[in-house]
Amino acid sequence: MTVVLCPGQGAQKVGMGKDLAERFPAARETFQRIDDALGVALSKIMGEGPESELTLTHNTQPAILAHSAAVWAVVGNRLQADLKAAAGHSLGEYSAYVVAGALAAAEAARLVGTRGELMSQAGPARPGAMAAVLGLATDQVEAACREASSPSEVAVAANLNAPDQTVLSGDPAAVERAGEGCKARGAKRVIPLKVSGAFHSPLMQPAVSGLSAALASASWSEPRVPVVANATATPVSASGDARRLLAEQLTAPVRWVECMQRAAALVPGATFVEIGPGNVLSGLLKRIVPGAATLTLGTADDVEKFLA
């Protein structure tokens, strides 16, 4: 029994997916379809850079999705029979709907490209900041955010990644105050993140209507397996709910700890297979669900070993 996990922003690096395209025709075709859909040589930016292009939000998001979709194009036939659920972190939730058969890879890439552009536009409209808090319980981080927020400046716990790892998001001064509050409560480290906006916070509200419209006009099928939604940590089995919750996800926290607990309860004894760049989600899972079985499929070597 398998649960597929799809990574989010931060996992990108120049060279990603190049080995997959060279060794697997199905991966190469997926990259080509996504390039065609976007009207951009995204696979070339992924494979060759420059890094300054790859790290632009409207490129990064479809690049990570393309990598996950390319891996799925190669291993999906093997995993399909045992697939019971999927989940993705932030933009990875769109990749999870590709795995669940609700979105074609090219359609999902168009959506996350639009999402990235809308998020980039919302950033300068009300500049925001994000910071990772390590070594402090989530409820303590949330208390520091409440203390640091005012009617005009807000800080929220935006990514609840592990029991002792949370990302702050919001207005720069409020995020700084919340970070100090976290240190005062015993956080080991507070690390400012290089981002173009305050993702998963109320500051992203200007992007919601545009994304809702894009989600509504996209071509959807009903998911073949449930996808655990970031915003609510509930399994989604209907495309209408998927569209609503993906729009909500822009301003809602990524409830990753609850998502993984829900997935583990939904599919007892599952093997969690992370597809796409890196192995961040597998590392987080081991801290959330101790003893969970994991497998990462990101490189051509990983995929060949699995298929063999």
Side-chain angles (χ1 to χ4, degrees):
M1 289 185 296
T2 302
V3 176
V4 168
L5 304 180
C6 304
Q9 207 159 335
Q12 69 278 357
K13 63 176 184 185
V14 173
M16 61 190 286
K18 196 174 179 184
D19 57 342
L20 291 164
E22 285 165 356
R23 285 196 237 172
F24 299 105
R28 197 159 54 245
E29 284 158 21
T30 300
F31 288 134
Q32 187 60 58
R33 276 200 298 276
I34 289 172
D35 286 358
D36 293 345
L38 297 176
V40 174
L42 182 69
S43 56
K44 192 169 191 288
I45 297 169
M46 290 167 65
E48 298 169 22
E51 194 175 350
S52 58
E53 281 286 301
L54 180 61
T55 53
L56 295 171
T57 300
H58 63 273
N59 287 332
T60 303
Q61 296 198 15
I64 290 168
L65 182 137
H67 193 151
S68 293
V71 173
W72 183 248
V74 180
V75 303
N77 284 348
R78 183 72 66 87
L79 288 174
Q80 195 73 60
D82 284 331
L83 183 68
K84 300 297 179 197
H89 190 286
S90 191
L91 83 92
E93 194 171 336
Y94 291 76
S95 311
Y97 281 109
V98 174
V99 169
L103 284 171
E107 190 76 79
R110 270 194 294 267
L111 282 171
V112 296
T114 300
R115 178 183 187 263
E117 280 169 22
L118 291 165
M119 289 167 79
S120 293
Q121 288 160 14
R126 184 174 169 187
M130 297 180 78
V133 179
L134 308 181
L136 188 66
T138 307
D139 60 343
Q140 293 291 303
V141 176
E142 289 171 335
C145 287
R146 284 194 296 274
E147 213 171 76
S149 295
S150 70
S152 60
E153 292 176 330
V154 65
V156 296
N159 293 6
L160 316 181
N161 288 338
D164 60 350
Q165 185 188 321
T166 305
V167 175
L168 305 173
S169 184
D171 292 291
V175 167
E176 196 169 323
R177 288 194 297 270
E180 292 304 319
C182 288
K183 285 179 195 166
R185 286 170 167 81
K188 286 180 187 160
R189 291 177 75 192
V190 178
I191 306 163
L193 302 178
K194 278 189 208 166
V195 290
S196 58
F199 304 154
H200 300 292
S201 85
L203 275 69
M204 284 290 117
Q205 189 60 43
V208 173
S209 62
L211 184 61
S212 294
L215 288 161
S217 63
S219 177
W220 287 80
S221 302
E222 296 307 305
R224 287 194 293 262
V225 296
V227 171
V228 183
N230 286 187
T232 56
T234 53
V236 176
S237 299
S239 60
D241 293 335
R243 290 194 288 271
R244 178 175 55 80
L245 289 168
L246 286 170
E248 257 179 50
Q249 193 221 65
L250 275 182
T251 54
V254 175
R255 302 183 177 283
W256 194 248
V257 172
E258 290 172 70
C259 286
M260 291 301 89
Q261 290 166 340
R262 177 57 66 94
L266 205 60
V267 192
T271 298
F272 288 79
V273 181
E274 184 171 359
I275 62 168
N279 57 2
V280 169
L281 298 183
S282 300
L284 292 175
L285 178 68
K286 286 171 181 170
R287 289 155 63 188
I288 299 166
V289 185
T294 62
L295 174 67
T296 56
L297 300 177
T299 66
D301 286 346
D302 292 341
V303 170
E304 279 184 347
K305 206 178 291 178
F306 170 72
L307 293 173

